[in-house]
């Protein structure tokens, strides 16, 4: 097996099992619907504990004071929807984000374990894991 085959196999395996954020990570709670542009979104570096989410053209989409809300929006935007369901309670948002990040970290650990079994001498794991995450449009902030 080549590294390219490993990437392809991993992407296909993860794609079939991948949970959807936020639906699989929030409980029955009071939520609001947020409109999003259906494009890739990017988190800019924080400025005085203020966060901006922009699109690829540099247009400011959201201006937030809560890092967990910013993460929530970016994680929920994985499939580029036009609307996102977001809990009104900031503690629910934080719990959903932490749960999702834990889930993503587990995926990464499983990829690493499989990679080391198949390529014990290789040191390309960072590159391989980035390729897999890019193909699945996954991010971990």
């Amino acid at each position: 097996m080549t590294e390219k085959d490993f990437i392809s196999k991993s992407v296909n395996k993860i794609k079939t099992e991948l949970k959807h954020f936020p639906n699989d990570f929030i409980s029955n709670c009071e939520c609001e619907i947020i409109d999003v542009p259906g494009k890739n979104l990017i988190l800019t570096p924080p400025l005085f504990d203020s966060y901006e989410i922009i699109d690829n053209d540099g247009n400011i989409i959201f201006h937030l004071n809560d890092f967990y809300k910013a993460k929530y929006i970016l994680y929920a935007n994985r499939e580029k929807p036009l609307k996102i369901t977001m809990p009104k309670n900031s503690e629910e948002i934080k719990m959903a984000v932490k749960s999702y990040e834990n889930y993503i970290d587990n995926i990464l650990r499983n990829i690493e374990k499989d990679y080391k079994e198949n390529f014990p001498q290789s040191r390309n794991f960072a590159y391989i894991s980035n390729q897999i995450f890019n193909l699945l449009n996954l991010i971990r902030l």
Side-chain angles (χ1 to χ4, degrees):
M1 174 187 306
T2 66
E3 288 183 341
K4 187 175 180 179
D5 294 335
F6 179 82
I7 291 170
S8 178
K9 179 182 162 208
S10 297
V11 166
N12 290 333
K13 179 183 177 207
I14 294 167
K15 199 182 284 188
T16 61
E17 303 168 352
L18 192 60
K19 292 183 180 180
H20 296 280
F21 188 86
N23 297 344
D24 293 332
F25 295 90
I26 56 175
S27 59
N28 293 335
C29 60
E30 190 175 349
C31 294
E32 60 185 322
I33 304 296
I34 296 177
D35 293 323
V36 288
K39 301 178 181 180
N40 278 332
L41 298 178
I42 303 163
L43 181 65
T44 63
L47 183 63
F48 304 113
D49 291 330
S50 179
Y51 305 91
E52 288 182 344
I53 296 177
I54 61 173
D55 64 14
N56 284 338
D57 300 323
N59 301 316
I60 297 173
I61 307 300
F62 295 101
H63 186 85
L64 306 159
N65 292 325
D66 184 340
F67 188 47
Y68 284 100
K69 280 187 181 179
K71 285 180 163 186
Y72 186 98
I73 291 168
L74 291 176
Y75 293 154
N77 193 61
R78 179 179 161 264
E79 295 175 346
K80 299 178 193 76
L82 297 175
K83 297 190 181 301
I84 293 173
T85 303
M86 179 182 280
K88 289 185 177 180
N89 181 333
S90 61
E91 200 56 39
E92 287 278 339
I93 292 170
K94 187 175 181 178
M95 286 174 32
V97 167
K98 285 186 173 191
S99 177
Y100 180 71
E101 288 176 340
N102 199 16
Y103 174 70
I104 293 298
D105 291 344
N106 283 332
I107 289 173
L108 190 59
R109 279 191 285 278
N110 289 335
I111 293 170
E112 183 176 20
K113 180 181 163 225
D114 290 346
Y115 183 75
K116 286 182 177 179
E117 285 176 7
N118 286 288
F119 305 97
Q121 303 301 319
S122 182
R123 300 200 184 275
N124 289 339
F125 178 71
Y127 172 78
I128 298 299
S129 60
N130 281 333
Q131 291 296 312
I132 292 168
F133 271 46
N134 286 340
L135 289 168
L136 291 168
N137 198 24
L138 289 173
I139 58 171
R140 170 65 166 91
L141 301 173

